Amino acid sequence: QVQLVESGGGLVQAGDSLRLSCAASGLAFSSYAMGWFRQAPGKEREFVAAIHRSDGTTYYKSSVKGRFIISRDNAKNTVYLQMNSLKPEDTAIYYCAADRLLHTVVARYDYWGQGTQVTVSS
C-alpha cells in the first residue's frame, strides 16, 4: 500500500520560511518523480514544483520560482519543499504526489498524500 505523508506545515508571518517534508512508503521511491501541489479555499489544486526521480531536473510554478526549492533524498524516501519569503497568497493545503514521469499535470499523478496546511499571515 502506497503512503505519502506530508509534514512541516504551520502558521507563519509573511517573509518567513517553512520546510515541508513528504515521506513515502510502499513504492519504489527512486523510480518516481515527485511533485508538490497546493489548494487554496475555493480554488482548484495547482502545481507548485516537481523533481525527477534521479537526474535532479526540477520544474516550478512561475510565482514560486526563486523562493521555493524542491529536493529529494532517495536514501530516505523523502521529498522536501523549502519555502522562503512566504507570502499570504501562498496560503493553502500543500500536497505531495508521485508519478512515474516528471510533469506538472495534477490529474496524471498516481499517488497523493493527505496534505499539510500552510497559513501565511500578513
Side-chain angles (χ1 to χ4, degrees):
Q1 179 182 356
V2 175
Q3 282 195 313
L4 302 176
V5 180
E6 301 95 336
S7 60
L11 171 62
V12 297
Q13 293 188 331
D16 286 350
S17 298
L18 275 177
R19 188 194 197 202
L20 305 183
S21 300
C22 171
S25 60
L27 79 170
F29 183 74
S30 61
S31 297
Y32 283 80
M34 298 298 296
W36 284 99
F37 299 81
R38 66 188 183 188
Q39 188 166 17
K43 295 188 176 181
E44 292 188 352
R45 193 170 298 188
E46 64 177 7
F47 167 79
V48 175
I51 187 167
H52 189 269
R53 60 183 181 270
S54 61
D55 72 5
T57 300
T58 56
Y59 295 157
Y60 292 96
K61 177 180 173 63
S62 58
S63 63
V64 308
K65 201 167 187 179
R67 298 189 297 123
F68 291 9
I69 301 171
I70 187 171
S71 62
R72 65 189 294 160
D73 185 338
N74 285 349
K76 296 182 177 180
N77 287 2
T78 302
V79 62
Y80 306 97
L81 186 68
Q82 177 67 42
M83 304 187 295
N84 302 319
S85 302
L86 282 161
K87 304 176 180 180
E89 51 263 42
D90 294 318
T91 294
I93 299 174
Y94 282 72
Y95 301 87
C96 70
D99 192 70
R100 292 249 184 213
L101 299 177
L102 178 64
H103 59 85
T104 66
V105 181
V106 173
R108 287 173 53 192
Y109 273 77
D110 288 336
Y111 303 108
W112 290 85
Q114 83 289 347
T116 185
Q117 177 71 48
V118 172
T119 304
V120 184
S121 63
S122 57

